Amino acid sequence: MRFKRKHNVNQQKYSGVWPVMLTPFDERKEIDWPSLEKLIEWYLAAGVHGLFADCQSSEMFFLSDEEARKLVRFIVEKVDGRLPVVASGHTANAFSHQSEQLISMSETGVDGVIMISNRLALAGESNDKALETLQRLTAQVPVSVDLGIYECPYPYKRLLSEETVAWCAQSGRYTFIKDTCCDLTMIKRRLELAKGSRLHLANANSQTLLASFQAGCQAFSGVMANFHPDLYVWLYENWQAEPEKARKLSDYLSTAALVENLDYPVCAKNFQQSIGNFHTIACRVRDSSGYLQTFYPEAINGMVRLGQDIRGYLEL
């Protein structure tokens, strides 16, 4: 089933702020659909430019293929063309299963299907092997759907080689790289390789984000958009016009992003619960039962309070 799209399809389609979506679960660790709908509307109210569904933050390695497809169809239907949606669900090991996952995801109504770089070859195997797998998988996915790649850190991180980035840019199929290299020099090189193509680089790293925008990076897609997406939207849309405010905001976002080490995604789910979007902090990826007994919630609360001060400074 293909859903109608209302957003403007152009070269800027994959730019802006793209939250990596959480998956809310109920007490039985089944998908909590009402909470998911609230989350979608919260992202959209913040002014984000696109959504990345069924990714690592969505706990995709802990969803069945059927659950993943149902999850993404629900998101696409609720978004109803108000902005573009991409999704992954690329978790399998066997090539035939990977191909099946990607083709099925392409039929959910998403604008783009995102491959996972560490699924292209085993840890220790060559970049040539990864590129060969990528080329074979690319040929499997219908040309009606855009493609992207995510350097997912689980179960291991495989950074894309220059040859792979160049091939993706030249192929005409690839529009989105979720970049997790956290290296400004490498980001600049990738931007050069993608120059003049459809390929957009979405930096996941808050500490290099402003500098990457200044270098020509077109998007942000990181976990901290699950806490304050509106601040990332402001940075993306205003960094050129208001450089001093952008610098101060960048300092806050860079420091605040350290909280992703405080038992993510549990900390993000607890935040979403605190603002009324989620009913539970249940996860499949880790045990969340002891989270509230740690100092983590108050650390998040402190980050949120400082974020309110920043909003005042920005006159939001």
Side-chain angles (χ1 to χ4, degrees):
M1 180 177 181
R2 305 289 291 182
F3 296 99
K4 61 184 179 180
R5 299 185 180 128
K6 300 174 184 175
H7 51 76
N8 185 28
V9 179
N10 55 43
Q11 279 295 93
Q12 298 305 309
K13 177 177 176 181
Y14 294 99
S15 62
V17 175
W18 290 67
V20 282
M21 296 185 68
L22 300 166
T23 301
F25 296 114
D26 62 22
E27 292 81 358
R28 299 170 299 168
K29 297 190 179 180
E30 300 294 336
I31 297 174
D32 180 349
W33 301 105
S35 292
L36 179 58
E37 185 168 3
K38 288 181 180 179
L39 179 68
I40 292 167
E41 295 303 324
W42 179 78
Y43 288 136
L44 269 63
V48 304
H49 305 87
L51 293 175
F52 186 176
D54 199 21
C55 54
Q56 188 185 13
S57 286
S58 314
E59 302 176 68
M60 66 176 177
F61 284 94
F62 296 82
L63 298 173
S64 69
D65 289 354
E66 182 180 356
E67 284 179 313
R69 289 190 294 268
K70 187 176 180 181
L71 176 80
V72 174
R73 287 194 186 100
F74 180 91
I75 292 166
V76 171
E77 183 175 16
K78 295 303 178 184
V79 169
D80 192 29
R82 287 176 286 174
L83 44 68
V85 178
V86 299
S88 183
H90 179 205
T91 59
N93 293 307
F95 180 86
S96 59
H97 189 184
Q98 292 183 41
S99 176
E100 178 184 310
Q101 287 179 323
L102 295 168
I103 292 170
S104 295
M105 194 58 69
S106 76
E107 296 170 348
T108 60
V110 291
D111 296 84
V113 174
I114 309 298
M115 298 190 195
I116 301 300
S117 60
N118 63 45
R119 301 294 83 197
L120 303 176
L122 297 174
E125 291 188 319
S126 69
N127 289 326
D128 289 342
K129 168 66 174 176
L131 178 55
E132 177 191 358
T133 305
L134 178 68
Q135 291 168 334
R136 292 173 62 205
L137 285 172
T138 299
Q140 301 291 309
V141 183
V143 296
S144 58
V145 178
D146 294 330
L147 294 174
I149 307 181
Y150 167 26
E151 295 173 321
C152 180
Y154 177 88
Y156 80 96
K157 183 185 285 193
R158 174 176 286 274
L159 295 179
L160 301 173
S161 67
E162 289 193 2
E163 291 76 15
T164 299
V165 174
W167 184 84
C168 289
Q170 295 161 12
S171 73
R173 295 290 309 277
Y174 284 81
T175 56
F176 192 92
I177 291 179
K178 179 168 156 52
D179 181 297
T180 68
C181 74
C182 308
D183 182 327
L184 189 59
T185 300
M186 187 177 292
I187 288 171
K188 289 178 177 178
R189 177 58 180 155
R190 290 174 170 187
L191 290 170
E192 186 64 29
L193 291 169
K195 193 172 182 178
S197 75
R198 301 179 67 213
L199 187 62
H200 290 66
L201 207 65
N203 189 355
N205 178 244
S206 298
Q207 288 78 20
T208 57
L209 185 59
L210 178 57
S212 72
F213 284 162
Q214 293 166 342
C217 188
Q218 306 97 334
F220 170 73
S221 185
V223 303
M224 294 307 294
N226 286 313
F227 293 96
H228 34 229
D230 58 322
L231 295 181
Y232 284 98
V233 169
W234 191 98
L235 185 67
Y236 171 75
E237 295 181 347
N238 296 280
W239 68 268
Q240 290 174 296
E242 301 195 60
E244 180 58 25
K245 287 185 176 181
R247 183 189 63 78
K248 289 186 178 180
L249 173 58
S250 176
D251 287 345
Y252 168 71
L253 294 176
S254 296
T255 305
L258 297 175
V259 306
E260 66 183 86
N261 297 307
L262 304 184
D263 211 7
Y264 182 84
V266 183
C267 61
K269 291 188 172 187
N270 183 232
F271 169 72
Q272 290 294 328
Q273 185 182 48
S274 75
I275 61 174
N277 286 340
F278 285 15
H279 292 297
T280 78
I281 60 172
C283 295
R284 291 184 184 176
V285 69
R286 65 178 71 244
D287 180 9
S288 61
S289 61
Y291 176 80
L292 296 178
Q293 282 69 56
T294 69
F295 69 86
Y296 299 165
E298 186 49 39
I300 300 295
N301 291 341
M303 178 197 71
V304 171
R305 290 191 294 269
L306 288 172
Q308 289 299 100
D309 293 342
I310 287 290
R311 288 184 180 87
Y313 170 69
L314 298 174
E315 300 179 343
L316 292 178

